[in-house]
């Protein structure tokens, strides 16, 4: 079972997943690219989920997870690591921070009313210490999520294409064109899940046509749209 709620940290989401049938591996669903990074806790371990460009399928039997999903582009400043160094990975927090510090944080999560709240408290404390989020990054996400072309977005933000690409690698883990594709995928999935026909979904999400939507879903989600929604 999956549950989520808005975090007290602006733009973030706190979530928990518990396996209903731990012996049933068919219930494991891929994690799809969404432009975000997560701080995770499971079975006494603190991990970081880097930005994805392909579906990620958790290994091993289903188990309980808790996490805080950061708004796109905000996690690297909190973690102190450029996003492109974590692209497509799940790494132990001890690979990024001193082991003694991580042990204290793990104990704090385990002592919290629930792990998700413990992770949220850690993120809030870290956000209070870190520099404020770059407002340009939020504007960038808003522009691309509104289907504006990358070149037009760069011009609107007043930065060159190369500088935009460098900043995107640091903040999101990949360039602005990939970020635009990921955001478009999420728009399309939201529309299709609400019952919008596929052809209309493609048009409203910013695809050239329905075959374009189908190709992008296969590339980014690893399965046809109908199979994805069926899960």
């Amino acid at each position: 079972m999956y549950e989520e709620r808005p975090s007290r940290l602006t733009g973030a989401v706190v979530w928990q997943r518990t396996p209903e049938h731990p012996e049933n591996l068919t219930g494991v669903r891929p994690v799809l690219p969404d432009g975000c990074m997560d701080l995770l806790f499971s079975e006494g371990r603190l991990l970081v989920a880097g930005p994805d460009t392909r579906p990620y399928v958790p290994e091993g039997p289903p188990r309980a997870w808790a996490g805080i999903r950061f708004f796109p582009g905000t996690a690297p400043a909190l973690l102190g690591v450029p996003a492109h160094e974590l692209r497509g990975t799940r790494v132990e927090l001890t690979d990024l921070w001193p082991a003694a510090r991580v042990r204290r944080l793990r104990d704090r999560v385990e002592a919290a009313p629930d792990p998700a709240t413990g992770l949220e408290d850690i993120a809030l404390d870290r956000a209070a210490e870190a520099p404020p989020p770059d407002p340009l990054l939020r504007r960038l996400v808003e522009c691309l999520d509104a289907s504006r072309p990358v070149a037009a977005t760069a011009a609107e933000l007043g930065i060159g294409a190369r500088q935009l690409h460098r900043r995107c690698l640091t903040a999101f883990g990949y360039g602005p064109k990939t970020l635009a594709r990921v955001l478009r995928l999420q728009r399309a999935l939201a529309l299709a899940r609400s019952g919008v026909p596929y052809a209309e979904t493609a048009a409203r999400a910013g695809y050239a046509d329905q075959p374009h939507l189908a190709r992008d879903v296969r590339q980014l989600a690893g399965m046809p749209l109908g199979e994805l929604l069926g899960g």
Side-chain angles (χ1 to χ4, degrees):
M1 181 175 63
Y2 176 83
E3 299 176 304
E4 68 175 41
R5 62 172 173 81
S7 171
R8 290 171 285 154
L9 179 64
T10 302
V13 173
V14 176
W15 58 269
Q16 296 189 87
R17 184 187 299 277
T18 54
E20 298 181 23
H21 304 288
E23 73 284 356
N24 181 10
L25 295 181
T26 62
V28 178
R29 300 294 296 177
V31 179
L32 303 183
D34 58 6
C36 301
M37 295 173 58
D38 294 55
L39 179 62
L40 309 170
F41 180 81
S42 181
E43 298 181 348
R45 300 165 62 205
L46 284 166
L47 305 98
V48 174
D52 292 317
T53 57
R54 293 290 184 269
Y56 175 82
V57 180
E59 298 178 352
R63 53 179 172 166
W65 287 90
I68 178 165
R69 182 177 305 117
F70 300 103
F71 185 82
T74 60
L78 301 179
L79 298 172
V81 180
H84 64 82
E85 294 187 8
L86 303 177
R87 183 173 58 235
T89 65
R90 299 324 187 245
V91 301
E92 300 279 350
L93 189 57
T94 49
D95 292 339
L96 309 179
W97 291 357
R101 180 183 182 188
V102 175
R103 283 195 298 270
R104 291 193 297 270
L105 295 177
R106 179 200 62 202
D107 293 344
R108 182 176 175 184
V109 171
E110 292 179 334
D114 60 80
T117 298
L119 292 173
E120 183 181 29
D121 289 340
I122 291 171
L124 286 166
D125 288 349
R126 184 69 190 109
E129 301 170 354
D134 185 350
L136 182 142
L137 297 177
R138 183 173 288 271
R139 288 177 57 203
L140 171 63
V141 173
E142 291 171 350
C143 287
L144 295 180
D145 203 25
S147 299
R148 296 179 191 171
V150 171
T153 296
E156 182 175 336
L157 298 178
I159 60 177
R162 290 185 179 180
Q163 183 184 1
L164 177 62
H165 189 81
R166 288 195 299 270
R167 293 177 77 162
C168 280
L169 286 178
T170 298
F172 306 104
Y174 34 65
K177 290 185 178 180
T178 299
L179 175 61
R181 288 184 67 203
V182 167
L183 296 174
R184 185 175 59 189
L185 170 71
Q186 291 296 326
R187 290 198 304 274
L189 292 178
L191 289 167
R193 284 170 177 150
S194 70
V196 176
Y198 291 176
E200 184 180 348
T201 289
R204 289 173 58 181
Y207 292 92
D209 50 30
Q210 188 173 334
H212 183 198
L213 165 65
R215 289 194 301 273
D216 232 36
V217 170
R218 276 187 174 273
Q219 291 174 5
L220 293 174
M223 65 182 70
L225 182 57
E227 181 180 343
L228 183 62
L229 297 179

